[in-house]
Amino acid sequence: MKRILVTGGAGFLGSHLCERLITDGHEVLCVDNFFTGTRANIGHLQGHKRFELLRHDVTFPLYVEVDQIYNLACPASPIHYQHDPVQTTKTSVHGAINMLGLAKRTKARIFQASTSEVYGDPEVHPQPESYWGKVNPIGPRSCYDEGKRCAETLFFDYWRQHKLQIKVVRIFNTYGPSMHPSDGRVVSNFIVQALRGEDITIYGDGQQTRSFCYVDDMIEGFVRMMESEAELTGPVNLGNPGEFTMLELAETVLSMAGSKSKLVFLPLPTDDPKQRQPDISLAMERLSWSPRVPLEDGLKSTIQYFRKALAIC
Ligand SMILES: NC(=O)c1ccc[n+]([C@@H]2O[C@H](COP(=O)([O-])OP(=O)(O)OC[C@H]3O[C@@H](n4cnc5c(N)ncnc54)[C@H](O)[C@@H]3O)[C@@H](O)[C@H]2O)c1
């Protein structure tokens, strides 16, 4: 049994991770400032003798004793991270400094939830970890993209300078139950609009592609990475390489939700990447990991979750 800190533990991915770590027999300290996370996401864990919740903002130092740290704290959807861009950069950068400082003091192994956004609007397709990315440093998405890039820099400097055991993964679009209904991410957006019978909003002509990984596959990747041999620092891409256009996704959601919503087309937001697909060769080779849940199966449980969350029967 290890004592494991999960920052951002009340969020979408964090809450699934806390549940998995409790199931695996660990003691979990979930830290969150509830900016986008909710108590409801971890409600079923509250009262468990190996689970503890602490309201705390990672931009401030934290003094606890732990064996492992999963650093997930950071709003992930553009609507949320653009709400207070200065705080978003602070969360990524100051949050990383504080958590790396904690890992240094406690000699804990530390995991960073980085993102495919570090590749920006990529000129290389699919994106391998060796690609350095094409990121706008001064646009409305930069608080997130550059914050995450700087966090990666800090992780690798702490590794070189202080010999910390770091584990950096670059997460590609992930979806599943417990996503925030109003976070504006494409899967939740389409499902919520379809279930409410509202127009489905597609940005651009809908031909831009994304790949979607189901949350259970992603969490399995997190745990495998954390438990991997010490030499494996990452960055390692985690995501589902299956590529779909936004139009294909919208049509699949409409038919699975049995919805009569119409598709409407809006202008593309600034710096929205046209294509995004992970090259997961490294994860396959070093973690023996690849996603198992097909899109339709994942969408089925996600639609079920949103039906309940929105109380639409
Ligand atoms: N879901 C994805 O598709 C995806 C893709 C790439 C990267 N990621 C990364 O994974 C992590 C989790 O993403 P998610 O989808 O669960 O997002 P989320 O918004 O649901 O979760 C983020 C959590 O961090 C908390 N948080 C934010 N700022 C904080 C602060 N200053 N102090 C403490 N807690 C804070 C929020 O309240 C929330 O609970 C993020 O770091 C995100 O960048 C996610």
Side-chain angles (χ1 to χ4, degrees):
M1 183 178 77
K2 296 195 178 79
R3 288 165 303 176
I4 305 181
L5 166 63
V6 179
T7 76
F12 162 48
L13 295 179
S15 56
H16 284 271
L17 177 62
C18 287
E19 186 176 337
R20 165 68 187 264
L21 296 172
I22 291 284
T23 305
D24 287 353
H26 299 295
E27 219 170 70
V28 173
L29 172 59
C30 167
V31 162
D32 207 292
N33 70 349
F34 300 115
F35 175 51
T36 50
T38 63
R39 282 196 172 76
N41 283 346
I42 37 152
H44 58 300
L45 299 175
Q46 298 240 46
H48 193 290
K49 62 182 187 320
R50 283 183 281 106
F51 181 79
E52 199 181 341
L53 173 65
L54 176 67
R55 183 180 198 129
H56 174 81
D57 187 318
V58 294
T59 61
F60 296 95
L62 179 66
Y63 298 96
V64 290
E65 300 306 318
V66 286
D67 304 309
Q68 290 185 346
I69 302 168
Y70 284 88
N71 187 35
L72 271 63
C74 186
S77 87
I79 290 181
H80 291 141
Y81 70 64
Q82 289 173 9
H83 169 74
D84 185 348
V86 173
Q87 173 68 8
T88 298
T89 306
K90 276 189 184 168
T91 295
S92 278
V93 178
H94 293 193
I97 291 170
N98 288 328
M99 290 309 122
L100 286 160
L102 177 63
K104 184 171 167 232
R105 185 177 64 75
T106 56
K107 300 189 173 34
R109 191 174 264 210
I110 181 165
F111 171 104
Q112 169 67 357
S114 190
T115 169
S116 57
E117 301 291 337
V118 300
Y119 299 122
D121 192 2
E123 303 125 312
V124 173
H125 192 73
Q127 295 83 50
E129 292 83 352
S130 54
Y131 175 56
W132 290 354
K134 179 174 164 251
V135 178
N136 176 358
I138 57 167
R141 298 172 74 109
S142 311
C143 58
Y144 183 74
D145 303 3
E146 296 289 22
K148 288 285 187 179
R149 285 170 69 94
C150 183
E152 285 199 11
T153 308
L154 284 161
F155 267 70
F156 279 85
D157 281 334
Y158 267 78
W159 170 66
R160 277 185 288 264
Q161 205 174 324
H162 300 299
K163 313 284 176 256
L164 252 61
Q165 283 195 40
I166 61 160
K167 301 280 170 189
V168 177
V169 299
R170 291 181 178 155
I171 305 166
F172 285 67
N173 276 348
T174 304
Y175 70 98
S178 302
M179 289 184 90
H180 202 295
S182 59
D183 73 4
R185 283 187 268 187
V186 66
V187 175
S188 46
N189 245 10
F190 285 1
I191 295 177
V192 169
Q193 290 167 334
L195 291 177
R196 286 185 172 148
E198 294 167 357
D199 291 345
I200 305 263
T201 46
I202 295 186
Y203 296 100
D205 59 5
Q207 291 307 322
Q208 70 275 36
T209 63
R210 291 291 185 278
S211 50
F212 304 102
C213 185
Y214 188 62
V215 60
D216 291 356
D217 284 332
M218 184 56 63
I219 298 302
E220 180 62 32
F222 285 11
V223 172
R224 285 189 193 208
M225 181 66 178
M226 184 60 116
E227 299 305 332
S228 65
E229 56 199 314
E231 298 69 43
L232 182 64
T233 56
V236 173
N237 287 339
L238 294 179
N240 192 326
E243 213 181 355
F244 298 89
T245 67
M246 294 301 95
L247 265 182
E248 283 168 334
L249 177 69
E251 277 155 10
T252 310
V253 168
L254 277 177
S255 98
M256 290 184 70
S259 167
K260 297 201 166 36
S261 293
K262 288 190 207 58
L263 306 183
V264 296
F265 294 84
L266 298 176
L268 265 186
T270 314
D271 297 335
D272 195 51
K274 284 171 266 323
Q275 265 186 324
R276 194 59 82 52
Q277 186 191 27
D279 176 338
I280 59 163
S281 322
L282 188 61
M284 287 168 75
E285 186 195 319
R286 300 294 296 271
L287 306 176
S288 306
W289 177 88
S290 58
R292 307 214 170 282
V293 182
L295 184 67
E296 296 222 342
D297 293 359
L299 284 177
K300 196 171 160 198
S301 48
T302 312
I303 290 170
Q304 259 167 20
Y305 158 77
F306 276 113
R307 267 193 209 283
K308 263 201 199 151
L310 304 171
I312 298 172
C313 300

